[in-house]
Amino acid sequence: MTAHKWVYMFEEGSGDNKSLLGGKGAGLCEMTRAGLPVPPGLIVTTEACNAFYDNDKNFPEGMWEQVKEGLKEIESKVGKGFGDAQNPLLVSVRSGAAFSMPGMMDTVLNLGLNEETVQGLATQTGDLRFSLDAYRRFASLFGEIVMGVAHEKFERVLDRFKSQTSGGRDTDLNSEDLRHIITAQKQIIVADQQAIPEDVYEQLRVAIAAVFNSWMGRRAVDYRRVNRIPDSLGTAVNIQAMVFGNMGEGSGTGVAFTRNPSTGQKQLYGEYLLNAQGEDVVAGIRTPNPISELKKELPAVYKEFAAIADLLEKHYHDTQDCEFTIERGKLWMLQTRNAKRTGAAAVRIATEMVYEKLIDRATAVQRVTPDQLDQLLHPTVDPKADATVLATGLPASPGAAQGQVVFSPDEAEELAREGAQVVLVRQETSPDDYHGMVAAQAIVTARGGMTSHAAVVARGMGKTCVCGASALEIDYSQQQFSVAGTVVTKGEWITVDGSTGRVFLGQVPTVRPSLGQDFYELMTWADKFRRLRVRANADTPRDAKVARGFGAEGIGLCRTEHMFFGDQRLAAMREMILADGVGAREKALEKLLPLQRGDFLGIFREMAGLPVTIRLLDPPLHEFLPSVDDLLTELAELKMTLQRATTLADMDRVLDDIDEKRTLLKQVVRMREANPMLGFRGCRLGLLFPEVTRMQCRAMFEAVCQAQAEKKKVELEIMVPLVSLGEELHQQADLIHEVARQVMGEHGTTVEYKVGTMIELPRAALMADSIAKYADFFSFGTNDLTQTTFGLSRDDSARFLSYYIEHKIVPEDPFQVLDREGVGQLVRIGTERGRSTKPGLKVGICGEHGGDPASIAFCNEIGLDYVSCSPFRVPVARLAAAQAALEAEAAAAALEATEQAAAEAGKEGSAAISTVASD
């Protein structure tokens, strides 16, 4: 039986096989096969890494033997021997996952040095200082990476000896200094009950294991979690003959990009150091020079490198990130990979490469990630800033903003009116805080999740927000919060990074991107490829205008409850809720009617004939009322005021206030529900209080009539929330049609409209065929559908969901990424059953998942018509929808090719059988 192949020489591997060889290894193989100057080496595959973990962290059978055989080939190519005391071969041992994970895993350089080979290296090169410098570098890296000794211990030794030189640099250390440093490094390792093996093969064996182990190190695991890279991929290990950049001023090392990774400008961009090794550039031990300076110092090397960089970019059709070493005037390429880049650079590079005929438009659309596009839409914290992180929470709404801390929404509004920049800090937010949220530059909450009130409202406004920053200990009475001993009081400045969830102390510089022609061109291309329509969740004319500006093709969710915020409206709303009987309730609703009509008219004007889906009142009524705790506090304060009253008039006034608060408290207690999110809300409210539905529908139809009188087209869709029974929708639809007939009769005109429902309960999805009899459209409310499917409160689950994700109980936060297996199946079932009753039924989603790329791909897969998301996510959704369509098209083409190949093979087999039979 042939042994499994765990090891590939560079000339054996293929650049297309990143999953097996890792990105670094695949690039080295490709450069080697292209004849570029690459030091010889071998790759231990990602399969070996996975087998290592499956085998209780032991190498799989045959792997180590294949490594040693590969080393013999490297020895033959370079004319040196691994462990040879006279002519030693040194190697680097580097990680290399399929997806680039810069800085997340481990590397060891100069492996193969010991007390014998260090002398051989000195003889081989004629440079004792160089040899000892390589040894001290090896001892430091090996001690840190393989043996786990703290890096700072080695740094302290190096700094002590550098401080005793005239220049204070590592290049000022002489041979004697380096000998003392090596001795001190070994003593540090011995003090840790360890020692660097003198056997060079043992050095290599444990170094390979260390790289494998780094795959599951915390840095790597956290990076993969953030970037959604599976743990199952494993890392390859690249073992490569060392070339040395620290052999004098004719040697050096550097990193360069074929285009500027920050701006996308087409120019070589990077840094290098002469007389240095790779980690010197990265670690900042010395200040590197811009790559353009290399043209002056080593012009022949620069010319060769520039030509290779251009060749690599054209070969890979993408911007390359290259590592190189110069050894005594000879250029060696150590790595090429697709470069990491900012959102601005990604868009510019993709569009310019189309015009350079390096890629086509479909590739350009697929080249820019949704996260990169999102960077363009929001300011970000300057990555170069030196800043103190106070706390980290959930990145609820992207962007960066700064302001003075305030704890009261009223104060936020007042200070903002005076021109101040404020950040509203709350335990959590409620509808009562809305005016303060509007006024604030950013919102920070100690509690709540990605779809909490603060998060949803902030995203809708494009407002920076961090939720669930549980480290914050907020003290409203003292107007301060504290984190690990640091106290921040009202009026102090903080900076909020909603893209990463970090809260910084003080005013940290931000960078505000601008949208250029490249962005709009890319979006135009994306729109041509996508099938899914993209709408926006918008509750005000301002939101609608922003949505149109970002390319929204309609409003998929207008939440009418958000129109009741503000002092005048909230007062009328509370009057309606607390009314004693239908008559009093209708009187209060009369005050809200013109306000709602005006809001709807403003939205219709902005959307200019695009579809507008308006949801009837949905949340529990208690959300518009003061909390019991607040009322009890106010009563206690009034009683204290009564004790201080000095006149009968003052006492009578306070007593009246106390009576009023007590009456309100009784009503609030009477309306309190044990589980309000599953209580008296949605269509249940409209069925028991039909006058509320009448008022809202009258406001809509009257606004349509007025818009039509202004010669404006309106496409109105009325959505009934929280339906679980077909009869609920039937009765609400009858009421809507009744109001429509009344208003059309009064205005002498006709109004085109549709009535549909939000599918947000499991029963509604399962009974979609019967509900569809009364619906013109479905819109899946995946926020509540996720809550009711999982039995999770999206706010309360924040305290344990992170544990679930970390321990892989769930792969993703289901409130951020649609749960395909559970919630997704309900969406699929609801769509199929609804269309079995009405084949042309329009179906979309309007939950937070409407802006998530993975969820959008699922919506495209099951044939939804549209997604709806916050206005500032519309470009991201447009791009994600295009990418989903292109991926589906490619998958279908691949399947067709496979089936065709199978069919051809079947024909050949049949022909062969016929031939045999005839013989």
Side-chain angles (χ1 to χ4, degrees):
M1 181 184 293
T2 305
H4 187 87
K5 190 170 179 61
W6 303 110
V7 173
Y8 287 77
M9 305 306 294
F10 286 174
E11 56 270 21
E12 290 183 299
S14 166
D16 297 328
N17 205 351
K18 289 183 180 181
S19 61
L20 180 68
L21 305 177
K24 189 189 299 283
L28 288 165
C29 291
E30 196 77 354
M31 288 194 293
T32 298
R33 295 173 71 175
L36 299 182
V38 177
L42 61 85
I43 303 161
V44 184
T45 65
T46 57
E47 289 180 346
C49 177
N50 288 326
F52 173 79
Y53 282 102
D54 292 341
N55 197 30
D56 198 24
K57 294 192 176 182
N58 291 302
F59 291 158
E61 185 178 353
M63 189 207 88
W64 180 237
E65 288 71 26
Q66 291 179 31
V67 169
K68 289 192 287 188
E69 284 299 313
L71 266 177
K72 289 179 182 177
E73 288 194 42
I74 298 173
E75 289 175 328
S76 174
K77 289 170 184 170
V78 300
K80 300 176 184 178
F82 190 57
D84 188 322
Q86 305 303 317
N87 188 26
L89 166 68
L90 305 187
V91 297
S92 61
V93 181
R94 299 173 184 259
S95 61
F99 293 92
S100 177
M101 296 171 56
M104 296 302 111
M105 291 181 293
D106 293 330
T107 294
V108 178
L109 303 180
N110 305 328
L111 190 140
L113 282 172
N114 57 25
E115 288 299 329
E116 286 189 352
T117 57
V118 71
Q119 297 301 325
L121 183 63
T123 303
Q124 181 191 84
T125 60
D127 190 338
L128 176 62
R129 189 208 171 276
F130 154 73
S131 179
L132 292 171
D133 185 51
Y135 197 13
R136 69 95 183 162
R137 292 170 184 270
F138 165 68
S140 175
L141 280 171
F142 195 90
E144 177 190 353
I145 302 304
V146 179
M147 298 181 161
V149 179
H151 173 73
E152 294 76 16
K153 293 182 179 181
F154 300 119
E155 278 299 300
R156 282 197 293 268
V157 170
L158 183 62
D159 289 343
R160 185 171 76 248
F161 280 91
K162 285 197 301 184
S163 67
Q164 297 169 11
T165 66
S166 58
R169 298 171 301 178
D170 59 321
T171 51
D172 295 318
L173 298 167
N174 59 35
S175 298
E176 186 178 353
D177 295 329
L178 291 167
R179 265 291 178 203
H180 288 309
I181 290 170
I182 294 165
T183 300
Q185 289 173 329
K186 289 187 174 183
Q187 287 172 347
I188 289 170
I189 295 170
V190 168
D192 204 50
Q193 307 298 312
Q194 301 183 84
I196 299 175
E198 284 292 299
D199 181 345
V200 295
Y201 283 93
E202 180 62 12
Q203 290 178 8
L204 180 59
R205 189 189 66 78
V206 294
I208 294 171
V211 173
F212 281 163
N213 282 322
S214 72
W215 174 252
M216 293 307 293
R218 182 170 181 178
R219 284 176 302 168
V221 170
D222 288 347
Y223 183 90
R224 290 198 297 276
R225 184 176 299 120
V226 170
N227 292 279
R228 297 177 181 174
I229 298 172
D231 288 339
S232 59
L233 297 180
T235 182
V237 181
N238 301 284
I239 301 169
Q240 188 173 22
M242 283 294 302
V243 287
F244 301 99
N246 56 331
M247 296 187 73
E249 292 305 313
S251 303
T253 186
V255 177
F257 300 83
T258 55
R259 303 190 189 214
N260 188 310
S262 295
T263 66
Q265 183 179 358
K266 188 176 181 181
Q267 63 175 23
L268 271 182
Y269 178 92
E271 296 174 324
Y272 74 99
L273 276 172
L274 294 183
N275 196 17
Q277 282 199 311
E279 76 267 21
D280 295 345
V281 176
V282 178
I285 294 170
R286 290 155 51 196
T287 303
N289 303 311
I291 193 72
S292 56
E293 293 292 317
L294 186 62
K295 191 173 185 179
K296 301 173 186 175
E297 295 197 277
L298 296 171
V301 171
Y302 178 86
K303 182 179 180 181
E304 183 183 6
F305 176 75
I308 289 173
D310 184 60
L311 176 69
L312 289 171
E313 182 173 278
K314 288 176 178 175
H315 177 78
Y316 286 103
H317 303 280
D318 200 357
T319 301
Q320 294 299 291
D321 170 1
C322 304
E323 286 184 23
F324 63 91
T325 285
I326 308 158
E327 183 180 274
R328 292 178 171 173
K330 166 70 174 173
L331 175 68
W332 293 97
M333 299 300 296
L334 303 184
Q335 173 176 281
T336 189
R337 62 185 176 191
N338 292 339
K340 300 286 185 182
R341 63 206 76 174
T342 65
V347 171
R348 179 174 176 177
I349 290 167
T351 52
E352 288 187 357
M353 281 189 169
V354 169
Y355 290 109
E356 293 168 21
K357 302 191 184 307
L358 283 174
I359 60 175
D360 59 21
R361 291 178 177 180
T363 304
V365 168
Q366 292 171 300
R367 184 69 56 80
V368 180
T369 69
D371 284 344
Q372 287 172 329
L373 195 67
D374 197 36
Q375 289 178 26
L376 290 181
L377 308 177
H378 301 274
T380 57
V381 168
D382 188 344
K384 299 175 184 175
D386 183 15
T388 300
V389 178
L390 287 171
T392 301
L394 298 170
S397 185
Q402 51 193 216
Q404 295 171 281
V405 170
V406 293
F407 298 90
S408 158
D410 294 334
E411 191 167 17
E413 185 176 51
E414 181 180 338
L415 290 172
R417 198 179 291 123
E418 295 171 3
Q421 288 180 238
V422 297
V423 173
L424 180 62
V425 178
R426 304 283 290 166
Q427 290 284 5
E428 56 196 0
T429 63
S430 72
D432 278 348
D433 299 329
Y434 184 77
H435 58 295
M437 297 172 73
V438 171
Q441 300 294 312
I443 301 105
V444 176
T445 68
R447 293 198 287 261
M450 291 291 287
T451 52
S452 63
H453 174 267
V456 172
V457 172
R459 278 195 292 272
M461 294 190 292
K463 191 85 65 176
T464 298
C465 179
V466 170
C467 287
S470 56
L472 297 183
E473 296 180 12
I474 299 173
D475 188 340
Y476 289 137
S477 64
Q478 297 297 315
Q479 293 287 281
Q480 66 183 38
F481 70 83
S482 59
V483 185
T486 300
V487 177
V488 178
T489 58
K490 184 182 77 173
E492 288 191 58
W493 283 81
I494 62 172
T495 300
V496 183
D497 186 350
S499 301
T500 64
R502 294 177 296 172
V503 181
F504 298 87
L505 184 64
Q507 294 175 268
V508 180
T510 59
V511 181
R512 179 175 289 278
S514 58
L515 301 179
Q517 184 57 37
D518 293 333
F519 167 82
Y520 293 107
E521 190 144 36
L522 186 76
M523 286 291 94
T524 300
W525 297 342
D527 290 341
K528 290 178 181 176
F529 291 115
R530 65 184 167 89
R531 181 192 63 79
L532 277 171
R533 301 295 90 192
V534 177
R535 300 189 187 184
N537 303 337
D539 310 324
T540 66
R542 175 188 169 278
D543 292 344
K545 184 174 183 178
V546 171
R548 283 293 309 277
F550 282 128
E553 297 163 301
I555 291 176
L557 175 62
C558 174
R559 294 158 288 206
T560 54
E561 61 270 14
H562 286 181
M563 298 175 176
F564 298 130
F565 302 142
D567 292 343
Q568 179 188 359
R569 297 175 181 223
L570 196 55
M573 189 66 179
R574 286 176 174 172
E575 182 183 339
M576 185 276 291
I577 294 169
L578 299 172
D580 186 15
V582 176
R585 196 156 38 247
E586 288 179 338
K587 186 176 180 181
L589 287 168
E590 287 175 7
K591 298 177 184 177
L592 292 170
L593 174 62
L595 300 173
Q596 288 248 285
R597 182 174 58 231
D599 288 337
F600 295 145
L601 179 59
I603 290 171
F604 294 152
R605 286 169 175 163
E606 289 292 346
M607 295 313 292
L610 293 174
V612 177
T613 304
I614 301 176
R615 183 179 70 185
L616 296 174
L617 189 63
D618 181 42
L621 294 179
H622 82 275
E623 289 196 6
F624 299 98
L625 299 175
S627 71
V628 171
D629 289 342
D630 286 346
L631 288 172
L632 288 172
T633 300
E634 289 173 20
L635 271 171
E637 290 173 351
L638 283 170
K639 289 176 182 177
M640 291 174 66
T641 303
L642 181 63
Q643 292 174 0
R644 293 193 298 267
T646 56
T647 67
L648 285 175
D650 287 342
M651 292 175 67
D652 288 341
R653 180 180 54 78
V654 176
L655 285 169
D656 288 342
D657 288 345
I658 289 174
D659 287 341
E660 183 181 332
K661 291 293 181 188
R662 280 177 174 163
T663 301
L664 181 57
L665 178 61
K666 288 178 182 177
Q667 291 173 303
V668 170
V669 170
R670 177 174 54 84
M671 296 188 66
R672 189 159 58 174
E673 296 177 279
N675 193 344
M677 294 308 293
L678 296 178
F680 186 48
R681 56 169 285 215
C683 67
R684 301 157 192 169
L685 177 66
L687 289 165
L688 271 70
F689 291 171
E691 55 274 14
V692 175
T693 299
R694 278 199 190 92
M695 181 279 290
Q696 290 200 293
C697 291
R698 173 168 284 275
M700 292 180 215
F701 291 127
E702 288 181 352
V704 174
C705 291
Q706 186 171 338
Q708 290 180 167
E710 297 171 3
K711 308 298 183 185
K712 290 181 171 59
K713 185 180 177 184
V714 178
E715 187 175 332
L716 172 64
E717 298 176 347
I718 302 173
M719 184 157 64
V720 180
L722 211 73
V723 163
S724 60
L725 300 158
E727 190 57 27
E728 289 175 321
L729 180 60
H730 187 191
Q731 293 191 22
Q732 282 284 278
D734 282 349
L735 182 56
I736 293 167
H737 297 321
E738 177 190 325
V739 175
R741 288 191 294 270
Q742 290 173 353
V743 174
M744 286 189 282
E746 292 166 7
H747 288 261
T749 186
T750 58
V751 172
E752 296 293 328
Y753 67 96
K754 292 182 174 68
V755 176
T757 185
M758 180 178 274
I759 305 292
E760 50 194 323
L761 297 172
R763 190 183 195 279
L766 296 172
M767 300 300 295
D769 48 350
S770 62
I771 292 173
K773 296 174 186 175
Y774 312 106
D776 298 316
F777 66 90
F778 282 173
S779 181
F780 284 89
T782 51
N783 294 347
D784 276 356
L785 188 59
T786 297
Q787 286 197 104
T788 52
T789 302
F790 275 93
L792 286 176
S793 162
R794 60 188 174 192
D795 291 334
D796 296 333
S797 62
R799 69 182 64 177
F800 60 83
L801 257 183
S802 59
Y803 177 92
Y804 271 47
I805 295 166
E806 183 179 348
H807 290 81
K808 298 181 174 57
I809 298 171
V810 293
E812 306 274 3
D813 183 339
F815 294 111
Q816 294 183 49
V817 181
L818 189 71
D819 162 46
R820 291 190 178 206
E821 293 181 351
V823 180
Q825 288 309 304
L826 287 172
V827 175
R828 187 192 295 270
I829 289 167
T831 301
E832 292 171 350
R833 293 184 181 178
R835 286 175 174 166
S836 70
T837 298
K838 285 190 177 175
L841 188 71
K842 184 190 294 184
V843 184
I845 71 166
C846 61
E848 288 297 301
H849 301 101
D852 170 65
S855 307
I856 290 169
F858 178 74
C859 294
N860 184 77
E861 177 187 317
I862 65 172
L864 298 196
D865 296 299
Y866 69 88
V867 297
S868 188
C869 57
S870 68
F872 288 87
R873 292 290 290 180
V874 165
V876 173
R878 289 164 64 192
L879 179 67
Q883 292 175 343
L886 287 166
E887 288 167 9
E889 183 181 326
L895 178 62
E896 183 179 350
T898 301
E899 291 174 345
Q900 187 173 350
E904 291 296 327
K907 289 179 184 177
E908 291 175 6
S910 298
I913 293 170
S914 299
T915 302
V916 171
S918 61
D919 290 346

